[in-house]
Amino acid sequence: MSIVPKETVEVIAQSIGISNFSTDAALALAPDVEYRIREVMQEAIKCMRHSRRTTLTTDDVDEALKLRNVEPVYGFASGGPLRFRRAIGYRDLFYLDDKDVEFKDVIEAPLPRAPLDTSIVCHWLAIEGVQPVIPENAPVQAIAAPSNGTNNEQKDGLPVEIKLPVKHILSRELQLYFDKITELAVSRSDSVLFKQALVSLATDSGLHPLVPYFTYFVADEVSRGLNNYSLLFALMRVVWNLLQNPHIQIEPYLHQLMPSVVTCLVAKRLGNRLADNHWELRDFTAKLVAAICKRYGHVYNTLQTRLTKTLLNALLDPKRALTQHYGAVQGLAALGPNVVRLLLLPNLGPYLSLLEPEMLLEKQKNEVKRHEAWRVYGALLQAAGQCIYDRLKIFPPLSSLPARSVWKTNGIVVTLSNKRKTSMDLEEQPPLKKIATDGPVDAVSTSSMPTPMEEDAAAATPLDNSDADHPSSSSGQIPPDSGSESRSKRDKGDSQAQKLSAILPQIWKDDLNSGKLLVSLFELFGEGILSFIPAPEMSLFL
């Protein structure tokens, strides 16, 4: 039974001039009409979804008809609603009310206004902060006027609506919260209440409207308070806890935060007293910089690149103070061992040659300068030691293999040792001679005395206790499962040998490079670098 009634088919037939249309023909055509309608509507819905819309329009139906090679229905627009009327004498039949338009009325109607031609005009919005008085710029009176936030004026006879900037409105509670946090950071950074406020900054889910205000507050206070050590440390702790808050989207404000953070890392002087431990502030800021790069480095691809360039320039500039060099070294070390290996270690030798005179009592009489030089030396030693430590720890351990493991394949014996410096010996053997054994089929030496390699092979493939009662090799009988087991073990040994032969050259190459790096660091730092090397690797290189 079709959902299209036969009366609809009869009315359509009458509208196109078919008067003698039988009822049986209408009943027969109704299911086919329903099928065609469903087919067209499915195509129209596809066009709607591809257009990322949820409302079906007449344009979608026209596109569906074109896809079916059917001429679209003209005269229907998607602009306004369609007006349907009920057909007289039919209960559920509707038709579209089309008005008859006279050609005389269409010809005598006034022409619509021509659209404006597309053009590009350049003009000055402002010159050195002053807006020029030209027709293209809105006058100041128009911007400062109405109370409803909009202004309507006539410009070249056309109404122009100017929308004023909307003020950022904060609730009273958020304003009080911001004022309290800033007051604690400025004057009471050592109190227990400030620590509780930092916990709130790291966990509260309703602080996102305050992020631009905190960003401006940090930037402003850092630029004005470089002599206040406690204030700078409190501001960096505020930034750290804001970064820890999972409910805050702080990415749009990183370009405002990063200059303040880098300033606390590589500024020449932080604090105004000798008792101020600005070294601790630089260490904390280095961790903060590394956390920012780790969390948002994938969003801003140039963030870590620009940061490392800034820190490297600060380190290699001999005119900078040693405190700035210390901050740069700590910042580069916090970014990871790869940054240290690629950027810091190649410049280590020339830099230490310039730093050494500042560390000697005979050449540097100023105790403060000498202390700063030793601080920089310690930071360099820590960075280089951590780099060589991580470099040695990346090698895959080989201790899981036996002391000497031997896999025998068809004509090749592969011998592996635990020592990484040992090369693989590949020895060609004569063709294998299959004989009955208690375990897997193996190669047999032509000499009567067992060779050391055969003893290693016997040790690497112990006999199974379940096969102890089988006949000996002189009986000439092979157990049924021994052939398949020997093949599986042989294939397993071949795959292991191939994998190891593939990774061992790279491991040996890395070992060699690490050995050269260790030698160069030992020449620069002496025995101080040896405390960063684990015991197994130490015994390997020694």
Side-chain angles (χ1 to χ4, degrees), residues 430-450:
L432 298 180
K433 182 179 180 181
K434 294 185 179 179
I435 60 173
T437 60
D438 293 340
V441 177
D442 209 338
V444 179
S445 177
T446 56
S447 61
S448 59
M449 295 299 292

Side-chain angles (χ1 to χ4, degrees), residues 15 33 282 359 361 374 460 464 533:
S15 65
V33 170
R282 296 179 195 272
M359 300 167 56
L361 180 60
W374 277 103
D464 194 357
I533 304 175

